[in-house]
Amino acid sequence: MWKFNPILKTKIWGGSRIARLHGIDHDGPLGEAWLLSGVPGSVSTVATGPDCGLSLSQLIDRHKDSLLGRLNYIRYGHEFPLLIKLIDATGRLSVQVHPDDDLAREIGSSHGKTEMWYILDADPGATLSLGFSRNVDPLDFPSLCASGGIVDCLNSHPVSTGDVFFIPPGTVHAIGAGCFIAEVQQSSDDTFRIYDYGRLGDDGRPRPLHTELAARALRFHATDGRPLPYTARPDVPVTVVRSPFFSTNVMTLDEPALRDYSECDSFVCLLATSGNALIEAKDQEPMVFFEGEIILIPASTDNVRITPQGTFTALEIYIKQ
């Protein structure tokens, strides 16, 4: 099992929640912390233990399918297939869309970007937008972007802690101000910015838009942008997302739990969303696991014991072929 150093990303819409959560002194607004990443140029490094300082890529080179799982290793090779991050939106993010695998490969990337959001915290009145509220004519799209009318075409929803949203590629979306989010996604940093409210970047110029690429990626029909329905159950993992790219369970623990991963054939990522816990596995050093941290459990680990220190909630993320 491994913990990793967060990779910090300054964003003009970011805030201070990530710095407070991780006890970090940081100049400028922190918009994202990449907790686990194999994205070139932003590869995670191990934070503690005998492998401290090794990169995620080096771990995969060393452990291969015993880390990723047999079928994941066949499918992804030495690539880590997920990017898991925290997003602190003090200001609203741009209206945007992500490509699917086919379009991503066409523009020279390895993967599209299917993602999910778990709301960690939200200011009163905070909202996000997901999907079009009505069918949009692709011919009208450029003028809607130019005028800002595209915002009026979006589903907008108030958000609360524990809400889960699933965002397939091609789905228009925008995170609103006041949202603190855990994001799970395919290993991709491709984003097509559609509308940015006339905002200026760090260089004092409007940030670039990607209208033509967005038009190729978008699904223009109306969609249901509401959060996914689920009911949290004490001490029982609840599956909230199951897709070809990742599956995610929500866990709320008040008592020790033994998780059996022997039939999973996948690495498992545990992301602590509130509270702390002790994580134990055979032949591995126990770890105290704090809110906002992620632990990567290799596919070769069959059983993990999680002992909460009070009430503990976490996301359990894996790839089931």
Side-chain angles (χ1 to χ4, degrees):
M1 301 186 296
W2 301 276
K3 282 187 182 184
F4 295 86
N5 298 303
I7 300 168
L8 306 177
K9 304 283 185 176
T10 300
K11 303 287 185 179
I12 60 174
W13 41 259
S16 60
R17 279 187 273 207
I18 291 170
R20 291 199 306 269
L21 182 62
H22 285 273
I24 298 167
D25 285 328
H26 185 80
D27 293 330
L30 266 182
E32 298 181 351
W34 290 18
L35 302 180
L36 189 58
S37 167
V39 175
S42 294
V43 178
S44 296
T45 56
V46 178
T48 61
D51 293 328
C52 184
L54 288 183
S55 70
L56 179 57
S57 301
Q58 289 172 313
L59 291 179
I60 296 172
D61 289 344
R62 177 180 295 181
H63 298 286
K64 301 179 174 62
D65 60 344
S66 68
L67 192 159
L68 291 179
R70 185 180 64 85
L71 293 179
N72 285 333
Y73 190 64
I74 291 171
R75 182 178 180 185
Y76 296 107
H78 288 252
E79 226 181 327
F80 192 73
L82 298 181
L83 169 58
I84 301 173
K85 63 173 75 167
L86 303 180
I87 298 174
D88 179 16
T90 295
R92 56 190 175 180
L93 275 68
S94 61
V95 180
Q96 57 190 242
V97 68
H98 305 305
D100 61 15
D101 284 354
D102 291 338
L103 180 54
R105 293 188 189 104
E106 192 175 329
I107 63 173
S109 299
S110 299
H111 305 290
K113 193 172 178 182
T114 298
E115 61 187 14
M116 65 157 280
W117 296 327
Y118 176 90
I119 307 301
L120 296 165
D121 193 18
D123 293 345
T127 64
L128 58 76
S129 298
L130 181 60
F132 288 120
S133 59
R134 60 174 177 83
N135 292 339
V136 172
D137 188 333
L139 296 177
D140 294 334
F141 178 65
S143 61
L144 288 170
C145 293
S147 68
I150 196 71
V151 175
D152 299 324
C153 302
L154 306 180
N155 291 311
S156 182
H157 297 284
V159 294
S160 301
T161 299
D163 285 349
V164 174
F165 295 84
F166 183 66
I167 308 97
T171 305
V172 64
H173 57 276
I175 297 173
C179 294
F180 189 34
I181 292 174
E183 181 175 274
V184 182
Q185 60 171 87
Q186 289 177 269
S187 181
S188 168
D189 198 29
D190 286 334
T191 294
F192 303 151
R193 194 179 293 123
I194 295 170
Y195 181 69
D196 200 33
Y197 314 98
R199 183 163 39 195
L200 302 181
D202 293 333
D203 59 0
R205 299 180 179 182
R207 298 198 299 171
L209 304 180
H210 314 103
T211 310
E212 292 183 7
L213 281 171
R216 294 176 62 192
L218 274 168
R219 300 174 181 177
F220 286 99
H221 56 270
T223 56
D224 181 354
R226 291 174 294 182
L228 300 176
Y230 78 97
T231 301
R233 299 174 60 192
D235 304 310
V236 177
V238 176
T239 301
V240 291
V241 169
R242 183 180 285 115
S243 81
F245 306 105
F246 57 84
S247 296
T248 304
N249 302 332
V250 171
M251 293 196 300
T252 303
L253 302 179
D254 294 306
E255 299 179 354
L258 184 65
R259 298 295 293 137
D260 181 359
Y261 300 130
S262 58
E263 301 298 322
C264 191
D265 188 32
S266 174
F267 64 89
V268 176
C269 304
L270 293 178
L271 169 57
T273 54
S274 68
N276 309 324
L278 177 68
I279 311 295
E280 300 171 280
K282 184 180 178 181
D283 299 327
Q284 300 186 51
E285 287 293 321
M287 291 184 177
V288 180
F289 184 30
F290 297 97
E291 180 179 349
E293 290 187 328
I294 199 164
I295 287 180
L296 175 60
I297 301 168
S300 57
T301 298
D302 290 341
N303 292 285
V304 171
R305 184 176 181 83
I306 306 172
T307 303
Q309 300 174 353
T311 299
F312 173 72
T313 64
L315 300 182
E316 186 179 53
I317 305 150
Y318 54 96
I319 299 177
K320 187 67 174 177
Q321 301 292 340

